[in-house]
């Protein structure tokens, strides 16, 4: 197998290292954006050198972002080349189109590395869906936010200090918005839900709230209340055409499985009709785990392992977040006009524990209140 590698950043470098010494898979060309003298003749600035090379049968896309990654992947599939990608943002918005292009050309689109990094989560989700009905998905899918929350919980640190430490250590990007605003988690939930429920899901239909506004004082309140905070995703099947799906910080009892996940690890779960509850734990991101998942996808193609979906998603699910309700912790300088217990506040803020309320109502309320209080923070309460 000869591959064209799009991108030679952290993950691309990891893939190159993992493939070193193998004689069954080799990199023929690497698309770069700047000079890399150490790559020699492997490097090219022109995607056409990969697209039109008849010896390259598989393209590995590790550029990230929406464009030009989407155009490159779509053209590769239409040209009859297999594709392995870890690009969750691109997949969340273009999953249907890319799957259709792969099927039309009779090639493979391998996406296992896009959710869970080196954890064999998507592979088993696809496999379970062939023999079972998946009722729900849940858990921690973003290691950066888990690292931040875990460190704040353990050390009593300020959010900004922990974020800066994560950036210096390479766990957080220079622009951390996708992680701390929940967009990365939303993309991963979108892909997972599309596979689990056999209906494509539009990412913009998924309610999302991140941890950008969390403070050390919030963490102290959570400890007093006996809770641990984690950024969780959740999706549930309502019926064949309707699901609920959301991303939000969540307060958990310390004994809950997600509350015991430390540093940048992930813990992703599913509930099936027959298999019951399953968890998948491990490093969900990083150079070696993600590169491992990419190389595993390449070996699957090489060994003729076909997609395991069984039934491709058909049509789009309607997301209805009015069907699921729970309590919420809310910190805001505004007053709440809903049923809620007022807690002892700090500074100018008011703290509340609401009565159980639908997820869509809380997210809509928060969006309205943020027009007056941009520093508002809320978290769901489980249990």
């Amino acid at each position: 197998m000869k591959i064209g590698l799009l991108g030679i950043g952290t993950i691309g470098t990891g893939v190159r290292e993992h493939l070193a010494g193998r004689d069954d898979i080799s990199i023929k060309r690497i698309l770069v954006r700047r000079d890399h003298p150490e790559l020699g003749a492997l490097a090219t600035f022109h995607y056409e050198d990969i697209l039109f090379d008849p010896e390259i049968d598989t393209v590995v896309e590790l550029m990230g972002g929406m464009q030009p990654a989407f155009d490159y992947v779509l053209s590769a599939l239409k040209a009859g080349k297999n594709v392995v990608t870890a690009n969750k943002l691109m997949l969340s918005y273009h999953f249907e189109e890319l799957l259709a292009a792969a099927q039309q050309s009779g090639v493979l689109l391998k996406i296992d590395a896009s959710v869970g990094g080196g954890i064999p989560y998507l592979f088993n989700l696809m496999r379970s869906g062939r023999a079972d009905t998946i009722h729900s998905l849940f858990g921690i899918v973003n290691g950066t936010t888990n690292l931040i929350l875990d460190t704040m919980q353990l050390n009593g640190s300020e959010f900004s200090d922990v974020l800066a430490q994560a950036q210096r250590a390479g766990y957080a990007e220079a622009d951390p918005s996708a992680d701390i605003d929940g967009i990365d988690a939303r993309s991963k939930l979108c892909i997972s839900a599309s596979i689990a429920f056999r209906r494509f899901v539009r990412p913009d239909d998924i309610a999302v709230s991140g941890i950008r506004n969390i403070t050390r004082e919030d963490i102290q309140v959570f400890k007093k209340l006996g809770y641990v905070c984690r950024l969780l995703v959740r999706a549930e099947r309502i019926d064949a055409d309707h699901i609920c799906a959301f991303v939000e910080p969540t307060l958990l009892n310390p004994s809950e499985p997600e509350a015991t996940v430390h540093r940048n690890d992930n813990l992703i779960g599913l509930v099936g009709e027959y298999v019951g509850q399953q968890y998948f734990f491990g490093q969900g991101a990083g150079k070696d785990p993600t590169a491992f998942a990419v190389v595993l996808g390449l070996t699957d193609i090489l060994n003729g392992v076909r997609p395991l979906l069984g039934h491709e998603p058909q049509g789009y699910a309607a997301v209805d977040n009015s069907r699921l309700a729970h309590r919420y912790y809310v910190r805001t300088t505004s007053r709440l006009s809903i049923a809620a217990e007022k807690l002892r506040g700090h500074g100018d803020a008011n703290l509340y524990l609401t009565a159980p309320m639908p997820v869509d109502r809380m997210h809509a309320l928060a969006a309205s209140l943020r027009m007056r209080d941009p520093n508002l923070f809320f978290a769901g309460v489980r249990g």
Side-chain angles (χ1 to χ4, degrees), residues 6-18:
L6 310 186
I8 192 65
T10 301
I11 309 304
T13 299
V15 169
R16 190 180 179 214
E17 292 172 356
H18 279 234

Side-chain angles (χ1 to χ4, degrees), residues 125-140:
L125 178 61
M126 296 176 194
R127 187 167 177 264
S128 296
R130 298 181 67 186
D132 205 350
T133 298
I134 307 300
H135 290 303
S136 63
L137 306 168
F138 52 89
I140 297 167

Side-chain angles (χ1 to χ4, degrees), residues 95 189-202 313:
F95 196 16
L189 180 61
C190 181
I191 296 166
S192 299
S194 296
I195 292 170
F197 306 131
R198 299 179 182 176
R199 295 286 189 276
F200 292 106
V201 179
R202 295 179 178 88

Side-chain angles (χ1 to χ4, degrees), residues 5-16 27 30-34 36 38-39 62-63:
L5 182 60
L6 310 186
I8 192 65
T10 301
I11 309 304
T13 299
V15 169
R16 190 180 179 214
I27 301 173
I30 301 175
L31 183 68
V32 298
R33 294 175 177 172
R34 58 179 178 83
H36 285 269
E38 74 279 7
L39 297 179
L62 299 172
M63 304 173 68

